[in-house]
Structure formats: C-alpha cells, structure tokens
C-alpha cells in the first residue's frame, strides 16, 4: 500500500512501467472507477488536474437519494437502482452519509394525499433498503418538525426519509480507499495528451501542476471519467469527436441554521421551473437549492447568476419565515451536471440523469452522466467495458459491500460531533489537537467546525496541497461562510505552507486565491 502522500504517489507513478488501467478525473466517477478496478486486483493510476472532487463532485445538493421527481416521470428503473445504491452507500460510508427526515409542505387540500401516494410508492421501491416509513402530518405535526414554516394556508404535509452526505469528504474517502487497495491516485496532475500505438490508446501524457514536469503513463486501457470535461478529453483522442454532453448549472445558497432549526429538511416537489427545491440542515447551516440552467460549456469555477440566487431566495420565502434575503446569504455555489445531449429535449430538466459508457475506435473508454448516488454502478459498468476492451483478465466487481476508508459502525458515529466525517481517522485529528493545543481552536469564530488541527491533518495526511483544497474540500469552510473563509485565509495558508515546506510568499498567494474564490461565492 502506498502512503497517501502526494510525493509518494508521484514517485510510484514515475516508477511503474505499465498500469492495467489509467483513469483521468478525480471526481465521483473517476474515484469510483479507481476503487472498482483496484478491488478487482488491477493495477491502477488516477490523475486529477485539480483536487479530488474539485468540480461538481463537491458542489452537489448533499443528497443520497433515489430522485423523487424521476419517479413522477415514470422512470421506475432509475429510481429503484438509485434507492438500492443509496442503501449500500449509507452502509459502506456511515461516517459521511446518513439518514435525513424530509417534510413536504401541503398548502392545498390535494397536496397531502397526492404527494403522500408518490412517497409511499418511493418507500416501496426501496424494499429492504428503506430508511423509514412515510407518514402524513397534521398542521401541528408539520410545524413541530419545521418551526419556521410559513403558516398562512398550511394544511400539514408528508414526512419521508432519504440520505444526506458530505460530498467532498466522500470523494476523499474513495481516493483513500483506492489507495488502500494499491492504486496510485494523484491530484494536481493534468492529462495533456492521449497516447496511442498503432491506432490503439495505450497511455497518457501528464503534467504535474506543481513543478510543470511532464511524463508518459503507460496503460493497457484508459478511462475518461471527467464529468462535464469528458468531451474535452475525447477530443484529445479524436479531435473531431462529436459532443455528447449538454451541461446544466445547479445553484445553491447557504443560510444560517436559524432559517431551518431542528433536524428535518424541507422538500418542495415543484417550483416555477418544474424542479424540486430542497432546504436542508447541513454542518450547522441551511443549504437551499437548486436550479437547472443550460450553459454553453464547462467552467472550472462556475458561479450562480444573480437571477438564480434571487430565484432560490424567492421560493424559499414562500415556505419559510422570515423570508431570507441576500443579506442572510453566507455562501453560494454552483455545480455543472454532465447531462447526455438530446437534440429533441425542450430543456435540460428533461434530459436523462442516467450514465453512458462509450468506447472509441482507438479504445478510449468514456463514462459520463449519472449522479453521485449511483457512482458505484457507473464505475462497475465503466471498468467492465475497460477490461473487455483491453482484454484484461475477467475479474468480477466486488464493491457492493466494500467499506470505504474511515468506516466505523453507525452506532459509534454522532454526525453532530466534531470530526464525525473523519470516521476512524478522527482520533488522529484529536491527537494532533492535543499535541499542539494552539491547533484546537477554530480558524475563525464563524467557522466553529474548521480547526487548525483539521487544516494540518489535511495537508499532512490527505494530500491537501493548497489553502483552497483545505478550506473547500477537506473542511467545508468556503461552502459554509465565504466571508469568514476569506478572513481565515492567511491562517489557513500559513498552516498549509508549514506542512508542505512553502515560503511566506507562497502562503500570501494562497490566501489571495482563497479571497478571490470567496468573493465569487458570496451573494
């Protein structure tokens, strides 16, 4: 097993002659592929040009779910698959994924029986992997669950159960699981070329993002798992490759916990544009989203438009009191969905959320589409195709019950406690804080869940190479309070610099990078 330090991974990448499988992309799908392939016993290398989960995989609505609205469209197969995977994920990674109660408000006489019937069906599709029983709520019962519910015309609601998770921490758990299984997983390393011999893809050209060094990585098969960037990588293989994606943007806003106190989330089944709206308790804040806006192409740091933020706040104000305003917003973020192109679709909300796997004439395997909840079956499908394309030994997938790095029995996890998302690594963070008491304090008074010990642990043990890595994905400070993160940036950058051997000038540049990103994530 290779230590989960970047220098060790970089050396292992350089030392290997040929890997069975090389993977481009360190988001949910690529990391899932790395875990799947390594679990089969294949030698695996994964490169990610930014950080693990830096794109859409850290910008989701934080839900592990079957997709209630897909059931309304009659896509029973997709919902059943997602509900099965929801159950498996909650069992395999209870330190980063758990059950959450959701309340659906009813403001018309027909809404309670109508939504209730759909959610009872949702329960039945989950079968033995269900998380709780749907029930109808009286007005008083609904208000007990959602004290800030707008009272005018409220007729009660429906209670059901789904899954919630910390997406970036799950991405890291997958990266560490792949490494535990022997895979080389390297962040801040870009694929700049697809290499081929005799018309057959047999490797990558990669560039180290820290020192600019380039090298070839030989592999029997290459998997392109780059989400909304999949067409860009496909064109490295075939410059005239026809686009297969039509990305859309989903925006979210973060409010204080006071807008949704308690442990019950709110789900509004239909907004003005036909999407579902969620308001969810998350890490001491309230996350509200999302939108569905077509975009021209991928972007490294997609930003919500003013119209999207206003749209979310307006709809939240229809169901919560007091109605949130821009002054209440602590952070905003947006993710890009890699939707499969359909020239006959009227809008992106109508495009399929299923995944596809394609194999080019030269053997490049591309997997894209789908969603976080089904990352495991996407990976299994992609590695099946890759193994067949490369003629690898036939080895069945064995990840359905694979416990991810950090796993602890659910009974030992208090999701409201400090360091809960670290699972079995939590003791290491605690010991670090005890050994250096100055690290026990939060890096900012408005970020009580982000301590100096976590920043140091991220740089020392979790391949966090920048202040943004540490604040956006190892901890979630940038997603919880953008302004507080900007103010904490010098402290965080200094700690990362200390651990990575960088100088004060580098630390100041890192602090400025956090401030610039935070400016885009503030309302």
């Amino acid at each position: 097993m290779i230590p989960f330090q970047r220098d060790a991974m970089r050396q292992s990448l350089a030392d290997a002659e040929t890997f069975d499988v090389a993977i481009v992309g360190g988001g949910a799908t690529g990391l899932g592929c790395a875990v799947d392939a390594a679990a089969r016993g294949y030698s695996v290398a994964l490169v990610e040009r930014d950080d693990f989960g830096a794109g859409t995989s850290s910008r989701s609505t934080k839900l592990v779910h079957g997709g209630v609205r897909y059931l309304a469209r009659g896509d029973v197969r997709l919902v059943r698959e997602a509900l099965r995977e929801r159950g498996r994920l909650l069992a395999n990674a209870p330190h980063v994924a758990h059950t959450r109660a959701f309340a659906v408000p009813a403001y018309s006489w027909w809404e309670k029986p109508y939504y209730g019937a759909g959610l009872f069906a949702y329960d039945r599709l989950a079968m033995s992997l269900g998380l709780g029983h749907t029930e109808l709520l009286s007005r008083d019962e609904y208000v007990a669950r959602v004290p800030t519910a707008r009272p005018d015309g409220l007729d009660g609601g429906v209670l059901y159960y789904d899954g919630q998770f910390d997406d970036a921490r799950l991405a890291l758990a997958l990266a560490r699981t792949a490494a535990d299984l022997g895979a080389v997983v390297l962040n801040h390393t870009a694929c700049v070329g697809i290499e081929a011999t005799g018309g057959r893809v047999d490797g990558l050209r990669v560039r180290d993002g820290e020192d600019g060094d380039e090298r070839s990585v030989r592999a029997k098969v290459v998997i392109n798992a780059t989400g909304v960037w999949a067409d860009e990588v496909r064109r490295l293989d075939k410059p005239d490759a026809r686009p297969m994606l039509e990305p859309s943007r989903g925006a979210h806003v973060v409010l204080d916990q006071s807008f949704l106190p308690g442990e019950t989330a709110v789900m509004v089944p239909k907004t003005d544009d036909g999407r579902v709206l969620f308001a969810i308790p998350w890490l001491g804040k309230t996350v509200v989203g999302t939108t569905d806006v077509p975009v021209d192409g991928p972007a490294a740091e997609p930003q919500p438009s003013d119209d999207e933020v206003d749209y979310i706040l307006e709809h939240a104000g229809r169901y919560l009191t007091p109605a949130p305003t821009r002054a209440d917003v602590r952070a905003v973020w947006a993710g890009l969905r890699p939707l499969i192109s359909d020239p006959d679709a009227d809008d992106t909300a109508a495009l399929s959320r299923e995944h596809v796997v394609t194999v080019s004439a030269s053997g490049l395997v591309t997997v894209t589409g789908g969603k976080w909840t089904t990352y495991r079956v996407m990976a299994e499908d992609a590695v099946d195709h890759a193994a067949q394309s490369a003629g690898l030994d036939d080895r069945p997938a064995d990840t359905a019950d694979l416990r991810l790095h950090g796993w602890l029995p659910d009974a030992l996890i208090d999701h409201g406690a400090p360091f809960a998302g670290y699972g079995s690594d939590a003791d290491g963070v605690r010991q670090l804080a005890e050994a250096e008491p100055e690290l026990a304090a939060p890096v900012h008074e408005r970020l009580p869940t982000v301590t100096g010990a976590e920043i140091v642990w991220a740089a020392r043990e979790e391949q966090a190479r920048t202040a943004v890595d540490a604040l956006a994905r190892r901890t979630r400070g940038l997603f919880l309070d953008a302004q507080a993160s900007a103010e904490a940036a010098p402290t965080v950058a200094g700690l990362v610099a200390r651990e990575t051997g960088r100088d004060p000038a580098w630390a100041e540049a890192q602090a400025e990078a956090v401030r610039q990103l935070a400016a885009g994530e503030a309302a």
Side-chain angles (χ1 to χ4, degrees), residues 6-350:
R6 190 174 185 277
D7 289 345
M9 291 290 178
R10 188 173 185 268
Q11 191 61 50
S12 295
L13 189 74
D15 290 345
E17 292 186 4
T18 303
F19 292 92
D20 292 326
V21 182
I23 300 163
V24 185
T29 307
L31 292 168
C33 287
V35 170
D36 185 284
R40 300 187 197 208
Y42 299 139
S43 58
V44 178
L46 177 147
V47 294
E48 161 57 45
R49 70 177 177 184
D50 195 330
D51 184 29
F52 306 122
T56 301
S57 295
S58 62
R59 303 162 189 261
S60 74
T61 314
K62 321 307 179 195
L63 297 179
V64 185
H65 62 141
V68 174
R69 70 190 184 95
Y70 308 141
L71 182 61
R73 294 176 180 171
D75 200 340
V76 174
R77 189 201 63 78
L78 178 62
V79 174
R80 182 182 286 120
E81 176 185 77
L83 287 172
R84 181 181 67 242
E85 291 304 309
R86 179 192 70 178
R88 287 172 170 166
L89 180 53
L90 266 63
N92 292 336
H95 53 307
V96 291
H98 58 94
T99 300
R100 174 70 71 187
F102 288 76
V104 180
Y107 284 89
S108 298
W109 67 267
W110 56 270
E111 288 181 316
K112 193 189 302 187
Y114 178 76
Y115 294 132
L119 290 166
F120 281 121
Y122 190 66
D123 277 355
R124 288 194 292 272
L125 284 173
M127 297 185 289
S128 62
L129 293 174
L131 304 180
H133 297 295
T134 292
E135 58 183 290
L136 302 182
L137 300 177
S138 68
R139 186 182 190 280
D140 289 344
E141 288 171 332
Y142 185 92
V143 172
R145 289 274 184 172
V146 186
T148 53
R150 184 160 291 281
D152 301 342
L154 181 65
D155 190 38
V158 184
L159 186 74
Y160 76 102
Y161 295 86
D162 232 325
Q164 182 178 10
F165 75 138
D166 186 330
D167 47 10
R169 294 299 304 181
L170 177 56
L172 184 66
L174 288 171
R176 300 206 63 175
T177 302
D180 292 345
L181 294 169
V184 175
V185 289
L186 193 61
N187 60 359
H188 297 287
T189 303
C191 169
V192 295
I194 300 291
E195 299 187 339
T197 301
R200 177 77 188 181
V201 170
D202 62 358
L204 308 172
R205 188 72 181 170
V206 302
R207 179 185 299 132
D208 191 292
E210 295 190 351
D211 63 11
D213 181 57
E214 288 194 14
R215 62 166 53 91
S216 294
V217 178
R218 314 311 305 169
K220 296 174 184 176
V221 66
V222 173
I223 298 176
N224 168 19
T226 53
V228 294
W229 302 94
D231 285 334
E232 306 293 323
V233 175
R234 290 173 62 237
R235 283 192 282 270
L236 293 176
D237 171 46
K238 184 182 178 185
D240 61 347
R242 181 179 177 181
M244 62 186 296
L245 295 177
E246 189 171 334
S248 79
R249 184 174 62 231
H252 305 81
V253 303
V254 178
L255 308 170
D256 285 335
Q257 189 175 34
S258 59
F259 284 91
L260 192 63
E263 297 299 320
T264 301
V266 172
M267 190 271 275
V268 178
K270 191 172 183 179
T271 59
D272 289 349
D273 70 351
R275 282 200 61 81
V276 172
L277 183 81
F278 291 99
I280 308 167
W282 187 63
L283 300 180
K285 299 289 185 181
T286 300
V287 175
V288 188
T290 179
T291 57
D292 200 328
V293 178
V295 295
D296 293 334
E301 295 292 344
Q303 297 297 329
S305 66
D306 288 342
D307 287 346
E308 287 174 277
V309 174
D310 290 340
Y311 178 90
I312 291 171
L313 292 175
E314 178 191 346
H315 280 79
R318 298 179 187 180
Y319 300 94
L320 301 176
T321 183
T325 68
R326 280 185 169 268
D328 299 310
V329 176
R330 296 290 173 253
V332 301
W333 77 78
L336 300 181
R337 305 179 185 91
L339 305 181
I340 308 305
S341 179
D342 179 356
D344 296 323
D346 293 330
D347 56 61
T348 55

Side-chain angles (χ1 to χ4, degrees), residues 490 493-494 497 503-515:
D503 61 26
W506 181 89
E508 175 50 39
Q510 286 291 302
E512 180 58 26
V514 171
R515 287 190 287 264

